[in-house]
Amino acid sequence: MPSMPTDVVRAGLRDHLKRLWRYGLVLSHRRDVADDLVQATCVRAIERAAQFQPETRLDRWLFAILHSIWLNEVRARQIRQGAGFVDAAEVLSFDGAGQIETGIMAAQVMREVQNLPEAQRSTVFLVYVEGLAYREAADVLGVPIGTIMSRLAAARETLGRRTGTSGPSTVEINRR
């Protein structure tokens, strides 16, 4: 059984690779970039394993690392292009599975989610796709919990307006 932080991180990485790759794809919308993000996340996690707190969840820590690497890359790209510091442009893509009807509806919703502002897309992904609690999403994104709630409310309102399904969300009650 692993006892040192490096051993814990190394042992846990394999279990989270698919989820990290999916988040990398959400952020970059490119498979090759998602691969690079996951590789950089693994390297950084192993290099900084001593900073991992055993009482925290490894997946949340890894999401935060990947998110930080992505933001740094976007900022560097914007600077190289002479645009200065701006928010990352993220795209949420999701292959609907299961029933054909559900898949069609999911694809329509995902197209609408792609048009949300970056901050809302990232928040929607972490809370509704990855199942993070508001506090966990706030920690990953480095924002207050109220910002998470505000982003989700704005995203739900926009999506409801675009899809004609506006109304109160019962999912929200379960996330607090």
Side-chain angles (χ1 to χ4, degrees):
M1 175 172 260
S3 59
M4 299 297 293
T6 303
D7 296 336
V8 171
V9 170
R10 282 181 188 268
L13 275 173
R14 170 172 260 163
D15 296 335
H16 301 295
L17 290 176
K18 287 181 183 179
R19 291 176 66 206
L20 289 170
W21 185 83
R22 186 170 58 199
Y23 188 41
L25 186 60
V26 164
L27 295 175
S28 68
H29 202 235
R30 290 185 45 202
R31 293 176 183 274
D32 60 325
V33 175
D35 291 341
D36 292 344
L37 284 169
V38 172
Q39 182 176 358
T41 299
C42 291
V43 169
R44 186 169 296 171
I46 291 169
E47 288 173 349
R48 298 183 182 175
Q51 296 174 1
F52 176 68
Q53 301 296 317
E55 65 274 1
T56 62
R57 292 181 51 174
L58 181 61
D59 60 342
R60 304 321 187 232
W61 186 67
L62 293 170
F63 278 135
I65 291 172
L66 190 143
H67 186 78
S68 175
I69 291 169
W70 170 249
L71 288 179
N72 290 341
E73 173 57 31
V74 168
R75 288 177 184 132
R77 195 175 331 137
Q78 293 297 328
I79 290 171
R80 284 192 301 270
Q81 294 171 354
F85 291 98
V86 297
D87 288 335
E90 296 178 2
V91 178
L92 181 60
S93 63
F94 174 76
D95 290 334
Q99 306 282 341
I100 292 174
E101 202 171 295
T102 303
I104 291 170
M105 180 61 164
Q108 290 171 342
V109 170
M110 289 304 114
R111 277 193 299 274
E112 292 301 328
V113 169
Q114 290 177 346
N115 293 322
L116 291 173
E118 170 272 324
Q120 291 177 16
R121 280 194 308 268
S122 185
T123 304
V124 164
F125 174 80
L126 290 172
V127 173
Y128 295 127
V129 177
E130 286 300 328
L132 273 65
Y134 289 0
R135 170 59 50 210
E136 294 169 327
D139 291 344
V140 167
L141 298 174
V143 298
I145 193 169
T147 301
I148 296 297
M149 296 185 322
S150 175
R151 287 177 182 176
L152 291 173
R156 281 192 310 274
E157 180 181 333
T158 300
L159 292 173
R161 212 174 35 251
R162 290 179 184 168
T163 61
T165 58
S166 57
S169 171
T170 56
V171 174
E172 205 57 32
I173 295 167
N174 298 324
R175 291 279 174 220
R176 290 186 186 186

